[in-house]
Short mmCIF file of all heavy atoms in Angstrom, two decimals:
data_model
loop_
_atom_site.label_atom_id
_atom_site.label_comp_id
_atom_site.label_asym_id
_atom_site.label_seq_id
_atom_site.Cartn_x
_atom_site.Cartn_y
_atom_site.Cartn_z
N ALA F 156 -9.09 7.18 6.84
CA ALA F 156 -9.26 7.85 8.13
C ALA F 156 -10.69 8.29 8.34
O ALA F 156 -11.17 8.35 9.49
CB ALA F 156 -8.32 9.07 8.16
N THR F 157 -11.42 8.56 7.31
CA THR F 157 -12.83 8.99 7.46
C THR F 157 -13.68 7.88 8.07
O THR F 157 -14.71 8.12 8.61
CB THR F 157 -13.41 9.38 6.10
OG1 THR F 157 -13.33 8.30 5.21
CG2 THR F 157 -12.69 10.58 5.51
N ALA F 158 -13.20 6.58 7.96
CA ALA F 158 -13.94 5.50 8.56
C ALA F 158 -13.93 5.57 10.07
O ALA F 158 -14.76 4.89 10.74
CB ALA F 158 -13.37 4.17 8.07
N PHE F 159 -13.05 6.31 10.65
CA PHE F 159 -13.04 6.49 12.07
C PHE F 159 -13.95 7.64 12.53
O PHE F 159 -14.16 7.87 13.72
CB PHE F 159 -11.58 6.86 12.59
CG PHE F 159 -10.70 5.66 12.76
CD1 PHE F 159 -9.67 5.47 11.92
CD2 PHE F 159 -10.90 4.78 13.85
CE1 PHE F 159 -8.77 4.40 12.12
CE2 PHE F 159 -10.04 3.71 14.05
CZ PHE F 159 -9.01 3.51 13.16
N CYS F 160 -14.46 8.39 11.58
CA CYS F 160 -15.21 9.56 11.90
C CYS F 160 -16.74 9.34 11.63
O CYS F 160 -17.08 8.49 10.82
CB CYS F 160 -14.79 10.74 11.01
SG CYS F 160 -13.07 11.25 11.30
N PRO F 161 -17.54 10.09 12.33
CA PRO F 161 -18.98 10.05 12.01
C PRO F 161 -19.28 10.54 10.63
O PRO F 161 -18.38 11.08 10.00
CB PRO F 161 -19.63 10.88 13.09
CG PRO F 161 -18.55 11.76 13.62
CD PRO F 161 -17.29 10.95 13.45
N PRO F 162 -20.48 10.38 10.11
CA PRO F 162 -20.81 10.78 8.74
C PRO F 162 -20.38 12.24 8.47
O PRO F 162 -19.95 12.51 7.37
CB PRO F 162 -22.33 10.60 8.69
CG PRO F 162 -22.64 9.56 9.66
CD PRO F 162 -21.65 9.70 10.75
N GLU F 163 -20.59 13.10 9.41
CA GLU F 163 -20.12 14.47 9.23
C GLU F 163 -19.11 14.78 10.35
O GLU F 163 -19.35 14.46 11.50
CB GLU F 163 -21.28 15.48 9.28
CG GLU F 163 -22.32 15.21 8.19
CD GLU F 163 -23.32 16.33 8.05
OE1 GLU F 163 -23.49 17.12 9.02
OE2 GLU F 163 -23.99 16.41 7.02
N PHE F 164 -18.03 15.38 9.95
CA PHE F 164 -16.90 15.55 10.86
C PHE F 164 -16.17 16.83 10.57
O PHE F 164 -16.28 17.36 9.47
CB PHE F 164 -15.97 14.38 10.82
CG PHE F 164 -15.50 14.09 9.40
CD1 PHE F 164 -14.41 14.70 8.85
CD2 PHE F 164 -16.20 13.15 8.64
CE1 PHE F 164 -13.95 14.43 7.61
CE2 PHE F 164 -15.77 12.86 7.34
CZ PHE F 164 -14.67 13.54 6.81
N THR F 165 -15.40 17.32 11.53
CA THR F 165 -14.59 18.47 11.31
C THR F 165 -13.17 18.04 10.90
O THR F 165 -12.79 16.91 11.14
CB THR F 165 -14.46 19.32 12.61
OG1 THR F 165 -13.69 18.62 13.54
CG2 THR F 165 -15.86 19.61 13.18
N LEU F 166 -12.43 18.97 10.34
CA LEU F 166 -11.08 18.66 9.96
C LEU F 166 -10.23 18.37 11.19
O LEU F 166 -9.29 17.58 11.10
CB LEU F 166 -10.45 19.78 9.15
CG LEU F 166 -11.10 20.00 7.78
CD1 LEU F 166 -10.36 21.06 6.99
CD2 LEU F 166 -11.19 18.69 7.01
N GLY F 167 -10.57 18.99 12.30
CA GLY F 167 -9.87 18.75 13.52
C GLY F 167 -10.02 17.32 13.96
O GLY F 167 -9.06 16.67 14.41
N GLU F 168 -11.25 16.78 13.82
CA GLU F 168 -11.48 15.41 14.17
C GLU F 168 -10.68 14.46 13.21
O GLU F 168 -10.11 13.49 13.69
CB GLU F 168 -13.01 15.11 14.08
CG GLU F 168 -13.80 15.72 15.17
CD GLU F 168 -15.29 15.71 14.92
OE1 GLU F 168 -15.73 15.40 13.77
OE2 GLU F 168 -16.04 16.01 15.86
N LEU F 169 -10.71 14.82 11.97
CA LEU F 169 -9.95 13.96 11.00
C LEU F 169 -8.48 13.96 11.35
O LEU F 169 -7.79 12.93 11.35
CB LEU F 169 -10.21 14.47 9.59
CG LEU F 169 -9.63 13.61 8.50
CD1 LEU F 169 -10.33 12.27 8.46
CD2 LEU F 169 -9.76 14.31 7.14
N GLN F 170 -7.98 15.15 11.71
CA GLN F 170 -6.55 15.24 12.05
C GLN F 170 -6.29 14.40 13.31
O GLN F 170 -5.23 13.72 13.40
CB GLN F 170 -6.18 16.67 12.30
CG GLN F 170 -4.73 16.88 12.61
CD GLN F 170 -4.35 18.36 12.77
OE1 GLN F 170 -5.14 19.23 12.39
NE2 GLN F 170 -3.19 18.60 13.28
N GLN F 171 -7.16 14.43 14.25
CA GLN F 171 -7.01 13.58 15.46
C GLN F 171 -6.81 12.14 15.11
O GLN F 171 -6.06 11.40 15.77
CB GLN F 171 -8.24 13.76 16.33
CG GLN F 171 -8.14 14.82 17.43
CD GLN F 171 -7.90 14.17 18.78
OE1 GLN F 171 -8.45 13.10 19.06
NE2 GLN F 171 -7.08 14.78 19.59
N VAL F 172 -7.53 11.67 14.11
CA VAL F 172 -7.42 10.27 13.70
C VAL F 172 -5.97 9.98 13.28
O VAL F 172 -5.33 9.02 13.73
CB VAL F 172 -8.35 9.94 12.54
CG1 VAL F 172 -8.06 8.55 11.99
CG2 VAL F 172 -9.81 10.07 12.99
N TYR F 173 -5.41 10.81 12.46
CA TYR F 173 -4.05 10.62 11.99
C TYR F 173 -3.07 10.67 13.17
O TYR F 173 -2.18 9.86 13.31
CB TYR F 173 -3.67 11.67 10.95
CG TYR F 173 -4.18 11.33 9.56
CD1 TYR F 173 -5.40 11.81 9.14
CD2 TYR F 173 -3.42 10.55 8.71
CE1 TYR F 173 -5.88 11.46 7.86
CE2 TYR F 173 -3.88 10.24 7.44
CZ TYR F 173 -5.13 10.73 7.02
OH TYR F 173 -5.57 10.41 5.76
N GLU F 174 -3.27 11.66 14.05
CA GLU F 174 -2.33 11.86 15.17
C GLU F 174 -2.43 10.64 16.06
O GLU F 174 -1.39 10.20 16.62
CB GLU F 174 -2.63 13.15 15.86
CG GLU F 174 -2.34 14.36 14.97
CD GLU F 174 -2.57 15.67 15.70
OE1 GLU F 174 -3.39 15.72 16.65
OE2 GLU F 174 -1.93 16.68 15.32
N THR F 175 -3.60 10.15 16.32
CA THR F 175 -3.77 9.04 17.26
C THR F 175 -3.16 7.76 16.65
O THR F 175 -2.43 7.05 17.33
CB THR F 175 -5.27 8.81 17.51
OG1 THR F 175 -5.82 10.03 18.07
CG2 THR F 175 -5.47 7.69 18.50
N VAL F 176 -3.47 7.46 15.46
CA VAL F 176 -3.01 6.20 14.87
C VAL F 176 -1.51 6.24 14.64
O VAL F 176 -0.78 5.25 14.85
CB VAL F 176 -3.73 5.86 13.57
CG1 VAL F 176 -3.18 4.60 12.91
CG2 VAL F 176 -5.21 5.71 13.88
N TRP F 177 -1.01 7.37 14.21
CA TRP F 177 0.43 7.50 13.90
C TRP F 177 1.28 7.80 15.16
O TRP F 177 2.47 7.65 15.15
CB TRP F 177 0.66 8.52 12.84
CG TRP F 177 0.27 8.09 11.48
CD1 TRP F 177 -0.03 6.84 11.09
CD2 TRP F 177 0.22 8.94 10.28
NE1 TRP F 177 -0.31 6.83 9.75
CE2 TRP F 177 -0.17 8.09 9.24
CE3 TRP F 177 0.44 10.29 10.06
CZ2 TRP F 177 -0.34 8.57 7.92
CZ3 TRP F 177 0.26 10.77 8.75
CH2 TRP F 177 -0.12 9.92 7.71
N GLY F 178 0.61 8.29 16.18
CA GLY F 178 1.33 8.70 17.36
C GLY F 178 2.25 9.91 17.15
O GLY F 178 3.29 10.03 17.71
N THR F 179 1.79 10.78 16.27
CA THR F 179 2.55 12.01 15.93
C THR F 179 1.61 13.19 16.19
O THR F 179 0.43 13.05 16.42
CB THR F 179 3.06 12.04 14.53
OG1 THR F 179 1.91 11.92 13.66
CG2 THR F 179 3.97 10.87 14.23
N THR F 180 2.20 14.37 16.06
CA THR F 180 1.37 15.56 15.96
C THR F 180 1.55 16.18 14.56
O THR F 180 2.63 16.02 13.97
CB THR F 180 1.74 16.60 17.04
OG1 THR F 180 3.08 17.05 16.80
CG2 THR F 180 1.62 16.07 18.42
N LEU F 181 0.49 16.81 14.08
CA LEU F 181 0.61 17.37 12.74
C LEU F 181 0.23 18.87 12.85
O LEU F 181 -0.55 19.31 13.68
CB LEU F 181 -0.40 16.66 11.79
CG LEU F 181 -0.19 15.15 11.60
CD1 LEU F 181 -1.35 14.58 10.81
CD2 LEU F 181 1.13 14.92 10.90
N ASP F 182 0.84 19.62 11.99
CA ASP F 182 0.57 21.09 11.93
C ASP F 182 -0.85 21.30 11.34
O ASP F 182 -1.17 20.81 10.30
CB ASP F 182 1.63 21.78 11.05
CG ASP F 182 1.36 23.28 10.97
OD1 ASP F 182 1.75 23.98 11.90
OD2 ASP F 182 0.72 23.69 9.98
N ARG F 183 -1.64 22.03 12.12
CA ARG F 183 -3.07 22.12 11.70
C ARG F 183 -3.26 22.87 10.39
O ARG F 183 -3.94 22.28 9.51
CB ARG F 183 -3.93 22.77 12.83
CG ARG F 183 -5.37 22.38 12.66
CD ARG F 183 -6.32 23.30 13.41
NE ARG F 183 -5.96 23.35 14.83
CZ ARG F 183 -6.64 22.72 15.78
NH1 ARG F 183 -7.74 21.97 15.44
NH2 ARG F 183 -6.31 22.83 17.05
N PRO F 184 -2.70 24.03 10.20
CA PRO F 184 -2.94 24.68 8.88
C PRO F 184 -2.43 23.84 7.70
O PRO F 184 -3.06 23.71 6.68
CB PRO F 184 -2.10 25.93 8.98
CG PRO F 184 -2.02 26.22 10.45
CD PRO F 184 -1.96 24.91 11.10
N ASN F 185 -1.28 23.17 7.85
CA ASN F 185 -0.76 22.34 6.82
C ASN F 185 -1.67 21.13 6.52
O ASN F 185 -1.92 20.80 5.38
CB ASN F 185 0.64 21.88 7.11
CG ASN F 185 1.63 23.00 7.09
OD1 ASN F 185 1.33 24.04 6.51
ND2 ASN F 185 2.80 22.80 7.66
N PHE F 186 -2.18 20.54 7.56
CA PHE F 186 -3.07 19.43 7.37
C PHE F 186 -4.33 19.82 6.65
O PHE F 186 -4.70 19.15 5.70
CB PHE F 186 -3.46 18.85 8.77
CG PHE F 186 -4.37 17.65 8.70
CD1 PHE F 186 -3.88 16.39 8.45
CD2 PHE F 186 -5.75 17.81 8.85
CE1 PHE F 186 -4.74 15.31 8.36
CE2 PHE F 186 -6.60 16.74 8.76
CZ PHE F 186 -6.07 15.47 8.51
N ARG F 187 -4.85 20.96 7.06
CA ARG F 187 -6.03 21.48 6.37
C ARG F 187 -5.78 21.70 4.88
O ARG F 187 -6.54 21.26 4.04
CB ARG F 187 -6.41 22.84 7.04
CG ARG F 187 -7.44 23.56 6.31
CD ARG F 187 -7.53 24.95 6.87
NE ARG F 187 -8.73 25.62 6.33
CZ ARG F 187 -9.93 25.34 6.66
NH1 ARG F 187 -10.16 24.39 7.64
NH2 ARG F 187 -10.95 25.97 6.09
N ARG F 188 -4.65 22.39 4.59
CA ARG F 188 -4.37 22.66 3.22
C ARG F 188 -4.24 21.41 2.38
O ARG F 188 -4.78 21.28 1.32
CB ARG F 188 -3.07 23.47 3.15
CG ARG F 188 -2.60 23.77 1.76
CD ARG F 188 -1.29 24.55 1.80
NE ARG F 188 -0.25 23.89 2.57
CZ ARG F 188 0.99 24.37 2.76
NH1 ARG F 188 1.29 25.58 2.26
NH2 ARG F 188 1.86 23.73 3.51
N LYS F 189 -3.52 20.43 2.96
CA LYS F 189 -3.27 19.19 2.24
C LYS F 189 -4.61 18.42 1.99
O LYS F 189 -4.89 17.96 0.88
CB LYS F 189 -2.38 18.30 3.10
CG LYS F 189 -2.00 17.00 2.46
CD LYS F 189 -0.94 17.19 1.42
CE LYS F 189 -0.38 15.89 0.91
NZ LYS F 189 -1.13 15.37 -0.19
N VAL F 190 -5.41 18.31 3.00
CA VAL F 190 -6.66 17.55 2.87
C VAL F 190 -7.56 18.22 1.80
O VAL F 190 -8.11 17.53 0.92
CB VAL F 190 -7.41 17.44 4.19
CG1 VAL F 190 -8.81 16.94 4.02
CG2 VAL F 190 -6.65 16.54 5.15
N LEU F 191 -7.71 19.52 1.91
CA LEU F 191 -8.59 20.22 0.97
C LEU F 191 -8.02 20.22 -0.45
O LEU F 191 -8.78 20.29 -1.43
CB LEU F 191 -8.87 21.66 1.45
CG LEU F 191 -9.61 21.75 2.80
CD1 LEU F 191 -9.80 23.19 3.18
CD2 LEU F 191 -10.90 20.99 2.74
N ALA F 192 -6.71 20.09 -0.57
CA ALA F 192 -6.14 20.11 -1.91
C ALA F 192 -6.18 18.69 -2.54
O ALA F 192 -5.86 18.58 -3.75
CB ALA F 192 -4.67 20.61 -1.84
N THR F 193 -6.46 17.71 -1.80
CA THR F 193 -6.51 16.35 -2.36
C THR F 193 -7.90 16.06 -2.87
O THR F 193 -8.86 15.93 -2.08
CB THR F 193 -6.12 15.34 -1.24
OG1 THR F 193 -4.83 15.66 -0.73
CG2 THR F 193 -6.09 13.92 -1.84
N PRO F 194 -8.02 15.91 -4.18
CA PRO F 194 -9.40 15.78 -4.75
C PRO F 194 -10.03 14.48 -4.27
O PRO F 194 -9.40 13.41 -4.25
CB PRO F 194 -9.11 15.72 -6.29
CG PRO F 194 -7.68 15.41 -6.42
CD PRO F 194 -6.95 15.91 -5.22
N GLY F 195 -11.28 14.59 -3.85
CA GLY F 195 -12.08 13.41 -3.48
C GLY F 195 -11.84 12.94 -2.10
O GLY F 195 -12.43 11.93 -1.71
N PHE F 196 -11.00 13.61 -1.32
CA PHE F 196 -10.79 13.13 0.08
C PHE F 196 -12.01 13.52 0.91
O PHE F 196 -12.62 12.63 1.48
CB PHE F 196 -9.51 13.78 0.58
CG PHE F 196 -9.00 13.18 1.85
CD1 PHE F 196 -9.67 12.08 2.46
CD2 PHE F 196 -7.84 13.64 2.45
CE1 PHE F 196 -9.17 11.55 3.65
CE2 PHE F 196 -7.34 13.09 3.63
CZ PHE F 196 -8.05 12.04 4.23
N VAL F 197 -12.29 14.78 1.04
CA VAL F 197 -13.47 15.22 1.77
C VAL F 197 -14.25 16.20 0.94
O VAL F 197 -13.71 16.86 0.05
CB VAL F 197 -13.12 15.84 3.14
CG1 VAL F 197 -12.33 14.88 4.04
CG2 VAL F 197 -12.32 17.14 2.93
N GLU F 198 -15.57 16.35 1.27
CA GLU F 198 -16.30 17.41 0.61
C GLU F 198 -17.07 18.19 1.70
O GLU F 198 -17.54 17.62 2.65
CB GLU F 198 -17.32 16.81 -0.40
CG GLU F 198 -18.20 15.75 0.11
CD GLU F 198 -18.99 15.11 -1.00
OE1 GLU F 198 -18.42 14.95 -2.14
OE2 GLU F 198 -20.19 14.80 -0.78
N ALA F 199 -17.11 19.48 1.46
CA ALA F 199 -17.70 20.36 2.49
C ALA F 199 -19.22 20.17 2.57
O ALA F 199 -19.88 19.92 1.57
CB ALA F 199 -17.38 21.83 2.18
N VAL F 200 -19.76 20.28 3.79
CA VAL F 200 -21.19 20.33 3.98
C VAL F 200 -21.57 21.78 4.09
O VAL F 200 -21.18 22.43 5.04
CB VAL F 200 -21.59 19.54 5.31
CG1 VAL F 200 -23.08 19.61 5.50
CG2 VAL F 200 -21.10 18.12 5.27
N PRO F 201 -22.30 22.29 3.12
CA PRO F 201 -22.50 23.71 3.05
C PRO F 201 -23.26 24.25 4.29
O PRO F 201 -24.28 23.73 4.66
CB PRO F 201 -23.32 23.94 1.76
CG PRO F 201 -23.26 22.63 1.01
CD PRO F 201 -23.05 21.56 2.07
N GLY F 202 -22.71 25.31 4.85
CA GLY F 202 -23.44 25.99 5.86
C GLY F 202 -23.60 25.25 7.19
O GLY F 202 -24.30 25.69 8.09
#
Side-chain angles (χ1 to χ4, degrees):
Chain F
T157 58
F159 278 110
C160 297
E163 299 191 342
F164 52 86
T165 70
L166 294 186
E168 291 167 346
L169 187 65
Q170 183 177 346
Q171 265 257 325
V172 171
Y173 279 91
E174 294 182 334
T175 301
V176 177
W177 285 349
T179 58
T180 63
L181 299 172
D182 180 82
R183 203 196 304 256
N185 289 344
F186 180 82
R187 170 192 190 73
R188 177 180 54 182
K189 183 78 171 89
V190 168
L191 296 181
T193 303
F196 192 1
V197 300
E198 53 187 38
V200 179

